[in-house]
C-alpha cells in the first residue's frame, strides 16, 4: 500500500511551470478549441459585450451615421476575439496586450475610413491620424458640432471605447472569480459616452432598464441564485422607477438635464480677437470697390441674401461678433459632415469661388445646411472651419484667399418673409448689453417710433426715419464729406448734425442701437443683397449692411435703414460776403492692416503677426508621441487594474476578519504569490503538505514554519493576539522575498503580470 501512496505524493509534488508548456502542439490546439466552448462561457462573453453596446448608444446622436455602428460593432468583435483567444490558450497579460496593440492598429481603417485604401486597408496616414487622435480626439469630438459623421479620425473614440472595453470586460468575465468586476467596464464606457454626447438623450430609459435587468440576472446566474420571481421583481421595480422618473421629468423639466463635456470646452478661435467686418466697410467701398471678391453660381430665382457675419455686441467703438454661449449669440463650433442633421428637400447649392477677398468670414446664405470646401487647400480650410448656427456666421481660422472654392447648401425657407407682420411679437433674446451708447440714440428712437402700434411697426418706423431723413455718402473723392467708423463719437457727430450723412456702416450701427434702446434685440449683418439668379460676380461695391430683429415664429427679419445711393445732400455755394470758416474735418483713421488670424488654439495666437496664414502641418513629434501613447494605455490600464485587484485582496486578508482568519489569509497570500511565480500545486493538500512540497523547491524559505504557525493559530481554542498576527504577516513578506530570489528573474517578471491567483483563489 505504500507504493501507491508514494506515487500519489510524487504526482502532487510541486513543480514550477515550464515555459515550453505554453506552446501547444497543433493537435493540442485543435483539441483545446473543440473542448473550450460551452454554453456558460458563451453567456459570460455575450453579456458584457451587449452591455458595452448599450453603453455606446448615447454616442449615436453625436455621429448620426451608419459608420459609427460599423466601427462600434467591429471594435467590440475585435476586442472580444483577442480576449477569448487569450483565455483559450491561457496567455499572460503581456502576450494579450501585444496582440491587442497589433490588432488595434491593423484594423485602424475603422477609426479613420477616409484615409484608408479602398476604405478598409490602413495607410501610414491612417496610423498618423490614430496616433495624433489618441491625444486630440477628445478635443475634436467636443469642439465639432454634431453630427460628426466619419470625418478625419473622429470615429477613433467609439473604436477605442468598444475595443478596449470589450477586451477588458470579456477578459475579466472569463478569468476572474468576481463577476461584478466585469460590470465596472460597461459603467465606465456609459459614463464616457454620456460625457462626450449631447443634451439629446438616446433611449435613456430603455438603456437603463435593459442594462440593469441583464446585469442583475447575469450576476444571480453566476452566483447560482437565479430564481424567476427575483427576475420579475427586478423588472417590475425598474419599470416603475423608469415610469416615475419619466413622469417627474415631464412635470418639472430641468434647465440642463444632462451634463456633457462640450458645454465646458471653449472652441477656438474667439471672434473677439478678429477685426470687425463692419469696421472695414469703407475699405470695400473704396479700395476694393471694383475688385471681384466672389463668384457665386446657382442663385435661385429672385436672388438671395448672402451674409459674411452677424454682429451682436457693441463696445462703444465697433459692432463685433460675440460668439459667446448665449441664446442670441450662439457659439462657434467645428462642423462635422454637415451643419444641419437633415438637408431640406427644397435646398439649393451655391458654388462659390474666392477672388480678391482675403478674410476669415465665409460667405453663406442664411439658414445654411452645409458648407464644404473643394479644390486645393480644402483640407486645411475644413480643419479650421467653425460655424455659429444661432447667427448663421462661419469663419475659417486659416483664412480665405484667391483660388479657394466651396459649396453652400442653403434652405430657401430661412429667407422667406411673412406676408402678415402687424401681429408679430418680438422674440425675447439674451444679447450682450451695448456699452458707450450716445445719449441721443434713445431720445431719437423714442421720437421715430412714437405712434407705432406694434413692435414690427416700431422697428420699421426707426428704419424708415433714417432711410427717408438721411443722405448717402461714402466720403470718397467728389462726394460729401463723411468720416468712416461707427464709434460713439462718430455716431453722435452724425446724429447731431443738421443733416444725417453716412453710408451703411453708420446707418446700420445707429439703427441697431436705437432698436436696442427700445428694449428689443437687434444685430448688424454685413453681406450682399443679390437680386439676380444664376451666376453673379460680387465686388467690393456690392457689400452692404443691414439690421436684423427676431420675431416669434419667423426668426430674424431684415430691416434696411440706409438711404438710396442717389439720395445725396444738396451742397450750396457759400455767400462770399459772409466768409464762413471752413469746416475742419478730423483726419481719417490710419489704414487698417490685414486682420490677424489666430491659430486654432487661442493661447498660441500671435498678436503681432501680419496677414493670414494657412494652417501648418502638425509637428511630426506630436503624432510620434501620440502613437507611442497607445501601447502605454493598452498596457497600463490592465496592469493597473491587475495590481489594484491584488492589492485589495492582500489588504482584505490582512485587515478583515478575526485574528485566526487573518493568519490563514497570510498563508493564502503566500500560496498565491508562489502560484504567480509559476509553481503549480495539486489541489486538496493541507498546509503541511504544501509546505513540504515548497521546501523541496525553496529549502531556505521557511515555509514549513509558516505552515505550522498558521495551523496553530487556526486550530487554537482562542484567537491569537494582534502582535502575533502582525509578526506572522511580516514573516510572510520575508518568505515571499526569499522564494522570489530562488525562482529566477524570468519567473519574477512573469509573476508581476500573472493573473493565475485571481482565477484560482478569492
Amino acid at each position: 500500500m505504500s507504493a501507491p501512496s508514494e506515487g500519489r505524493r510524487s504526482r502532487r509534488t510541486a513543480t514550477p511551470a515550464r515555459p515550453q508548456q505554453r506552446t501547444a502542439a497543433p493537435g493540442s490546439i485543435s483539441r483545446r478549441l473543440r473542448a473550450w466552448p460551452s454554453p456558460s462561457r458563451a453567456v459570460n462573453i455575450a453579456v458584457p459585450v451587449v452591455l458595452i453596446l448599450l453603453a455606446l448608444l448615447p454616442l449615436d446622436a453625436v455621429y448620426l451615421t451608419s459608420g459609427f455602428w460599423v466601427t462600434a460593432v467591429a471594435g467590440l468583435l475585435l476586442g472580444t476575439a483577442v480576449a477569448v483567444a487569450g483565455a483559450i490558450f491561457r496567455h499572460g497579460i503581456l502576450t494579450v496586450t501585444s496582440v491587442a496593440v497589433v490588432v488595434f492598429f491593423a484594423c485602424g481603417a475603422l477609426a479613420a475610413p477616409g484615409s484608408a485604401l479602398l476604405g478598409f486597408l490602413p495607410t501610414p496616414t491612417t496610423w498618423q491620424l490614430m496616433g495624433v487622435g489618441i491625444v486630440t480626439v477628445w478635443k475634436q469630438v467636443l469642439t465639432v458640432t454634431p453630427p460628426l459623421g466619419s470625418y478625419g479620425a473622429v470615429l477613433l473614440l467609439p473604436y477605442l471605447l468598444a475595443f478596449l472595453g470589450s477586451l477588458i470586460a470579456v477578459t475579466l468575465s472569463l478569468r476572474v472569480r468576481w463577476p461584478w468586476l466585469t460590470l465596472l467596464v460597461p459603467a465606465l464606457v456609459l459614463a464616457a459616452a454620456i460625457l462626450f454626447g449631447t443634451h439629446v438623450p438616446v433611449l435613456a430609459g430603455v438603456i437603463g432598464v435593459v442594462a440593469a435587468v441583464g446585469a442583475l440576472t447575469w450576476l444571480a446566474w453566476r452566483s447560482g441564485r437565479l430564481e424567476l420571481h427575483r427576475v420579475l421583481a427586478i423588472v417590475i421595480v425598474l419599470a416603475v422607477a423608469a415610469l416615475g422618473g419619466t413622469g417627474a421629468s415631464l412635470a418639472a423639466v430641468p434647465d440642463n438635464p444632462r451634463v456633457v463635456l462640450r458645454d465646458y470646452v471653449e472652441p477656438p478661435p474667439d471672434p473677439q480677437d478678429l477685426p470687425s467686418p463692419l469696421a472695414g466697410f469703407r475699405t470695400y467701398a473704396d479700395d476694393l470697390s471694383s475688385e471681384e471678391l466672389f463668384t457665386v453660381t446657382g442663385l435661385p430665382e429672385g436672388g438671395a441674401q448672402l451674409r459674411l457675419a452677424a454682429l451682436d455686441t457693441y463696445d462703444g467703438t465697433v459692432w463685433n461678433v460675440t460668439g459667446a454661449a448665449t441664446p442670441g449669440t450662439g457659439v462657434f463650433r467645428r462642423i462635422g459632415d454637415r451643419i444641419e442633421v437633415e438637408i431640406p428637400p427644397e435646398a439649393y447649392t451655391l458654388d462659390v469661388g474666392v477672388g480678391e477677398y482675403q478674410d476669415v468670414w465665409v460667405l453663406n446664405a442664411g439658414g445654411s445646411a452645409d458648407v464644404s470646401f473643394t479644390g486645393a487647400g480644402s483640407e486645411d480650410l475644413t480643419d479650421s472651419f467653425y460655424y455659429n448656427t444661432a447667427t448663421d456666421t462661419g469663419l475659417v481660422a486659416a483664412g480665405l484667399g484667391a483660388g479657394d472654392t466651396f459649396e453652400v447648401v442653403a434652405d430657401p425657407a430661412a429667407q422667406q418673409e411673412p406676408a402678415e407682420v402687424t401681429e408679430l411679437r418680438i422674440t425675447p433674446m439674451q444679447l450682450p448689453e451695448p456699452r458707450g451708447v450716445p445719449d441721443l440714440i434713445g431720445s431719437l428712437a423714442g421720437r421715430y417710433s412714437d405712434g407705432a402700434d406694434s413692435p414690427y411697426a416700431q422697428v420699421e418706423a426707426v428704419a424708415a426715419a433714417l432711410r427717408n431723413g438721411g443722405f448717402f455718402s461714402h466720403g470718397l473723392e467728389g462726394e460729401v464729406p463723411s468720416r468712416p467708423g461707427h464709434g460713439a463719437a462718430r455716431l453722435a457727430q452724425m446724429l447731431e448734425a443738421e443733416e444725417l450723412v453716412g453710408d451703411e456702416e453708420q446707418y446700420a450701427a445707429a439703427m441697431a442701437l436705437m432698436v436696442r434702446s427700445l428694449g428689443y434685440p437687434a444685430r448688424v449683418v454685413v453681406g450682399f443683397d443679390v437680386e439676380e439668379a444664376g451666376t453673379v460676380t460680387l465686388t467690393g461695391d456690392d457689400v452692404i449692411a443691414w439690421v436684423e430683429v427676431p420675431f416669434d415664429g419667423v426668426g430674424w427679419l431684415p430691416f434696411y435703414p440706409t438711404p438710396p445711393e442717389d439720395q445725396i445732400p444738396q451742397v450750396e455755394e457759400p455767400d462770399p460776403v459772409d466768409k464762413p470758416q471752413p469746416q475742419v474735418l478730423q483726419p481719417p483713421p490710419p489704414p487698417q492692416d490685414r486682420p490677424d488670424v489666430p491659430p486654432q488654439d487661442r493661447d498660441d495666437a500671435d498678436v503681432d503677426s501680419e496677414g493670414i496664414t494657412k494652417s501648418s502641418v502638425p509637428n511630426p513629434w506630436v503624432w510620434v508621441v501620440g502613437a507611442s501613447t497607445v501601447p502605454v494605455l493598452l498596457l497600463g490600464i490592465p496592469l493597473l487594474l491587475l495590481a489594484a485587484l491584488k492589492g485589495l485582496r492582500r489588504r482584505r486578508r490582512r485587515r478583515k476578519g478575526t485574528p485566526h482568519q487573518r493568519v490563514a489569509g497570510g498563508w493564502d497570500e503566500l500560496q498565491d504569490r508562489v502560484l504567480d511565480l509559476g509553481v503549480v500545486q495539486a489541489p486538496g493538500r493541507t498546509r503541511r503538505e504544501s509546505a513540504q512540497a515548497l521546501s523541496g523547491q525553496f529549502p531556505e524559505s521557511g515555509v514549513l514554519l509558516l505552515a505550522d504557525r498558521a495551523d496553530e493559530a487556526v486550530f487554537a481554542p482562542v484567537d491569537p493576539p494582534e502582535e502575533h498576527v502582525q509578526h506572522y504577516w511580516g514573516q510572510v513578506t520575508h518568505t515571499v522575498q526569499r522564494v522570489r530570489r530562488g525562482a529566477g528573474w524570468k519567473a519574477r517578471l512573469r509573476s508581476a503580470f500573472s493573473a493565475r491567483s485571481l482565477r484560482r483563489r478569492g
Side-chain angles (χ1 to χ4, degrees):
M1 298 297 294
S2 60
S5 176
E6 292 176 358
R8 286 193 297 270
R9 287 180 177 269
S10 63
R11 286 194 298 271
R12 292 199 302 260
T13 302
T15 57
R18 297 178 182 178
Q20 58 268 28
Q21 290 178 350
R22 292 183 177 273
T23 304
S28 175
I29 294 176
S30 61
R31 287 195 300 271
R32 183 171 295 179
L33 290 175
R34 290 194 301 268
W36 190 86
S38 67
S40 62
R41 285 179 174 143
V43 173
N44 292 335
I45 294 172
V47 169
V49 171
V50 172
L51 291 178
I52 293 177
L53 184 63
L54 291 175
L56 291 172
L57 278 175
L59 291 177
D60 178 66
V62 178
Y63 292 89
L64 291 178
T65 177
S66 59
F68 164 75
W69 290 110
V70 172
T71 299
V73 173
L76 286 173
L77 295 178
L78 291 173
T80 302
V82 175
V84 170
I88 292 176
F89 300 105
R90 301 176 184 176
H91 290 307
I93 191 171
L94 286 178
T95 303
V96 173
T97 304
S98 301
V99 174
V101 172
V102 174
V103 173
F104 183 82
F105 280 97
C107 301
L110 295 169
S115 63
L117 184 63
L118 301 179
F120 65 93
L121 295 177
T123 63
T125 303
T126 305
W127 293 324
Q128 177 184 354
L129 290 174
M130 294 179 68
V132 176
I134 290 295
V135 181
T136 63
V137 67
W138 67 270
K139 182 178 179 181
Q140 297 176 13
V141 172
L142 294 179
T143 57
V144 174
T145 302
L148 272 62
S150 57
Y151 163 75
V154 293
L155 288 175
L156 179 61
L157 178 64
Y159 180 49
L160 184 62
L161 290 176
F163 183 89
L164 197 58
S166 60
L167 174 65
I168 298 175
V170 174
T171 299
L172 293 175
S173 178
L174 296 177
R175 298 197 179 196
V176 178
R177 181 179 178 182
W178 308 301
W180 59 268
L181 290 173
T182 305
L183 301 180
L184 295 178
V185 180
L188 293 175
V189 173
L190 177 62
I194 292 175
L195 291 175
F196 282 95
T198 65
H199 290 292
V200 180
V202 180
L203 301 176
V206 176
I207 295 176
V209 173
V210 173
V213 171
L216 294 176
T217 304
W218 180 65
L219 286 177
W221 176 74
R222 284 286 296 261
S223 62
R225 300 187 180 92
L226 181 61
E227 297 178 8
L228 180 59
H229 69 277
R230 291 185 177 180
V231 176
L232 294 177
I234 292 173
V235 173
I236 293 174
V237 171
L238 291 176
V240 171
L243 291 175
T246 304
S249 63
L250 293 176
V253 180
D255 295 335
N256 192 2
R258 295 168 69 91
V259 176
V260 294
L261 293 178
R262 65 183 66 249
D263 291 338
Y264 302 95
V265 175
E266 182 182 356
D270 186 355
Q272 289 287 298
D273 295 336
L274 303 172
S276 168
L278 190 61
F281 187 88
R282 194 61 60 89
T283 302
Y284 290 114
D286 187 4
D287 299 339
L288 301 175
S289 61
S290 59
E291 300 291 341
E292 297 181 359
L293 303 181
F294 300 100
T295 300
V296 184
T297 303
L299 288 165
E301 292 294 331
Q305 278 185 344
L306 305 179
R307 53 206 295 132
L308 290 174
L311 320 176
D312 40 38
T313 180
Y314 184 76
D315 59 3
T317 303
V318 293
W319 277 94
N320 209 345
V321 182
T322 301
T326 60
T329 62
V331 65
F332 284 86
R333 293 191 182 278
R334 293 281 303 279
I335 299 301
D337 271 5
R338 53 192 179 274
I339 297 173
E340 297 295 336
V341 176
E342 297 182 0
I343 302 296
E346 65 276 7
Y348 59 91
T349 300
L350 300 177
D351 294 317
V352 182
V354 181
E356 298 302 319
Y357 177 81
Q358 292 187 353
D359 210 333
V360 300
W361 310 105
V362 179
L363 185 71
N364 69 94
S368 296
D370 189 20
V371 175
S372 56
F373 296 91
T374 58
S378 59
E379 184 175 352
D380 291 338
L381 297 176
T382 303
D383 289 340
S384 61
F385 177 60
Y386 298 82
Y387 195 81
N388 187 333
T389 55
T391 61
D392 289 321
T393 301
L395 67 86
V396 172
L400 292 174
D404 292 332
T405 58
F406 56 92
E407 295 180 353
V408 178
V409 179
D411 182 6
Q415 297 195 12
Q416 294 179 358
E417 296 189 19
E420 182 60 38
V421 297
T422 56
E423 300 300 327
L424 292 179
R425 310 301 299 177
I426 295 289
T427 302
M429 194 75 66
Q430 182 181 354
L431 294 175
E433 192 67 24
R435 305 189 306 271
V437 180
D439 297 334
L440 192 57
I441 289 287
S443 61
L444 288 177
R447 190 175 74 188
Y448 293 158
S449 61
D450 186 27
D453 56 358
S454 69
Y456 185 93
Q458 288 180 308
V459 177
E460 178 57 31
V462 173
L466 294 173
R467 182 173 58 249
N468 299 327
F471 298 96
F472 184 90
S473 175
H474 285 311
L476 304 179
E477 184 177 357
E479 297 181 356
V480 174
S482 174
R483 291 193 295 114
H486 56 279
R490 174 66 181 94
L491 295 182
Q493 182 267 335
M494 182 184 78
L495 297 175
E496 292 173 355
E498 294 182 1
E499 294 179 334
L500 296 178
V501 179
D503 55 14
E504 286 93 341
E505 178 183 3
Q506 290 80 39
Y507 283 103
M511 178 186 171
L513 292 176
M514 290 180 181
V515 175
R516 296 293 296 274
S517 70
L518 296 176
Y520 302 147
R523 64 192 185 193
V524 178
V525 180
V526 178
F528 304 85
D529 189 12
V530 183
E531 298 180 354
E532 297 85 356
T535 300
V536 174
T537 299
L538 302 176
T539 65
D541 193 48
D542 298 323
V543 178
I544 65 171
W546 64 89
V547 176
E548 289 185 344
V549 180
F551 291 89
D552 288 343
V554 296
W556 294 82
L557 295 183
F559 295 86
Y560 301 92
T562 306
E565 294 191 7
D566 57 357
Q567 188 170 313
I568 58 177
Q570 298 298 323
V571 181
E572 298 181 359
E573 293 294 334
D575 191 349
V577 178
D578 294 338
K579 296 183 179 180
Q581 296 296 325
Q583 183 180 4
V584 179
L585 298 179
Q586 296 295 331
Q592 296 181 353
D593 295 332
R594 289 181 177 177
D596 295 338
V597 181
Q600 300 241 359
D601 292 322
R602 289 183 55 189
D603 295 336
D604 297 333
D606 183 4
V607 298
D608 294 331
S609 61
E610 294 185 358
I612 298 175
T613 58
K614 299 287 183 180
S615 301
S616 59
V617 179
N619 193 318
W621 287 107
V622 174
W623 68 267
V624 171
V625 173
S628 63
T629 308
V630 177
V632 175
L633 290 175
L634 294 176
L635 281 170
I637 293 176
L639 293 180
L640 290 175
L641 180 60
L642 188 60
L645 292 176
K646 290 185 177 181
L648 290 174
R649 182 185 63 186
R650 182 167 56 252
R651 180 185 178 90
R652 175 172 55 84
R653 287 171 171 173
R654 186 166 185 172
R655 299 187 179 183
K656 300 294 183 180
T658 61
H660 74 268
Q661 289 175 336
R662 292 156 60 193
V663 173
W667 174 258
D668 292 339
E669 182 68 21
L670 173 63
Q671 291 283 81
D672 287 337
R673 298 292 291 273
V674 173
L675 178 62
D676 287 337
L677 287 170
V679 179
V680 181
Q681 300 187 69
R685 289 184 173 183
T686 64
R687 294 186 181 89
R688 183 68 180 178
E689 290 174 337
S690 298
Q692 288 176 346
L694 290 175
S695 63
Q697 296 292 324
F698 309 100
E700 298 182 359
S701 61
V703 292
L704 286 172
L705 179 60
L706 287 178
D708 293 339
R709 291 191 175 181
D711 287 339
E712 293 174 1
V714 172
F715 298 108
V718 295
D719 287 337
E722 181 65 24
E723 294 79 5
H724 178 82
V725 176
Q726 297 300 330
H727 180 70
Y728 184 83
W729 269 92
Q731 288 183 316
V732 169
T733 302
H734 293 303
T735 300
V736 169
Q737 293 176 352
R738 287 194 291 268
V739 171
R740 286 175 59 85
R741 285 196 295 268
W745 69 270
K746 291 183 179 180
R748 291 198 298 270
L749 180 61
R750 286 196 300 268
S751 68
F753 310 116
S754 174
R756 285 183 172 183
S757 62
L758 293 175
R759 299 197 303 268
R760 298 178 60 117
R761 284 183 177 270

